[in-house]
Amino acid sequence: MYKIRIRGGARLKGEIPISGAKNAALPLMAAGLLTGEPLVLTNVPKLADVAFMADLLRLFGVDVEWTGEASLGQGGRYRLRAGTLQGTTADYDIVRKMRASFVVLGPLLARAGEAKVSLPGGCAIGARPVDLHLKALEALGATVELTEGYVIASAPKGLKGAVIEFPFVSVGATENALMAAVLAEGRTVIANAAREPEIGDLGRCLSAMGAKITGLGTPRIEVEGVDRLHAAEHSVLPDRIETGTYAMAVAIAGGEVELTGTSLELVGAVADLLKSVGAEIAATKRGFKVTRNGYRPVSASVETQPFPGFPTDLQAQFMALMATAEGVSRIRETIFENRFMHVPELLRMGADIKVDGDTAIVTGVPSLTGAQVMATDLRASSSLVLAGLAAEGETIVNRVYHLDRGFERLEEKLGRVGADIERLPT
Ligand code: EPZ
């Protein structure tokens, strides 16, 4: 077990390379189930969740090879080959540990005609049901049963193209529907599809594997099913949440940092918000530069929205920034019902935050103070690291395994731009 120690007050200067996106890599790996030929993924971040997905795929008989150790800024390479599937069951013990494993349901069903995947249950950030995933697969002709905590889906004669209309946007349900539809017979329309860049990345990889998809990046994705997919190589897109987190690190600590291997297009709403609170942002050839010198950031209010809106996965980090800003900020969480676990921890660092239903009212204080803190999810943990960068004295962030699920070598990346940060055994 590890903890992270931060001594606050250092300004950040230099360059941070951005890794491939966790939330793109996980469904891309699941897409490897759709063909017996090899799928090679490059720019894969070395993260606990990614290693976990690799172990899950091995249980289905997928030959998984990790070549190329990820160096800072240069992701690893996975070669996946799902020659003959040796199983189609994802147990409770697996899905419970990583909810994102539920995304194997669509590809397993499409490839094997059957799948048994544990219902994920609630998680730290909310109830998170999977009804939309199941309705989408039923629309494609699957029979779906819920028994003893498991989803048992079958389509022995194959899936059939259909119109799937989501009542609201779901990233995971769009991914499951898309991966099922590529091997369905005929045409599928996914209406009110998620527009997150990770969906576009998945669609581009599936297209490279031979799928026929149009409308990626729009709310209406159309798929013409094909009989089989083939080998392909695909590079995982940059992590927009990691990008936004380090942009906010500069905004909270002050300084000037170039984020490389990423792009402003991935974080449009975030960049606009950061500019409005006093950071300067300028595109560069390799990414963009974030600068904040001089005065304290000023407050701004925001609500989380599906892409292209402000992402829920950056809400906690923005709250840490607003905790030190001048003025009052209202931060409304509209995607998950329980995503304010960082609030009590920020309060322990001297923040002034009141939660009223889905809204946190943050009154900025001139400075936070270091403390021992911990959080129960990945993004909340990163917000505590950010708060520690700006706090007076020493902050210890416990339960670092949350951070390791989604931030590749966080202390190394922040350390190289001048943060006083260290990983220590507990
Ligand atoms: C993805 O989760 C991400 N995970 C999350 O990132 C991210 O916070 C979320 O999208 C929103 O952007 C991965 O990509 C692996 P949703 P997902 O389905 O797909 C409700 C992180 O920190 N809903 O878009 O699970 C749901 O409860 C993680 O990296 C249903 O009601 O999110 C939520 O309120 C955390 N029924 C809303 O929709 C369903 O069948 C959006 O969830 C599905 C979802």
Side-chain angles (χ1 to χ4, degrees), residues 260-303:
T260 61
T262 185
S263 93
L264 261 180
E265 273 168 36
L266 289 170
V267 288
V270 180
D272 289 346
L273 187 64
L274 289 182
K275 283 187 210 160
S276 77
V277 306
E280 287 165 42
I281 294 194
T284 62
K285 278 193 185 136
R286 298 181 302 164
F288 62 95
K289 193 180 270 188
V290 187
T291 311
R292 187 184 65 79
N293 287 315
Y295 299 105
R296 267 171 77 187
V298 291
S299 293
S301 293
V302 74
E303 64 173 45

Side-chain angles (χ1 to χ4, degrees), residues 22-24 26-27 99-100 125-134 168-173 175 194 196 198 240-241 305-306 311-313 334-337 339 377-379:
K22 166 183 83 87
N23 288 347
L26 297 174
R99 239 195 101 80
I125 61 177
R128 299 180 82 184
V130 290
D131 51 326
L132 301 190
H133 299 241
L134 305 186
F168 53 89
V169 170
S170 161
V171 173
E175 290 166 347
E196 268 65 8
E198 293 75 22
R240 66 195 165 93
I241 304 304
Q305 288 294 339
T312 172
D313 290 347
T334 73
I335 309 289
F336 293 111
E337 71 274 21
R339 216 176 189 184
D377 98 300
L378 146 75
R379 311 302 176 187

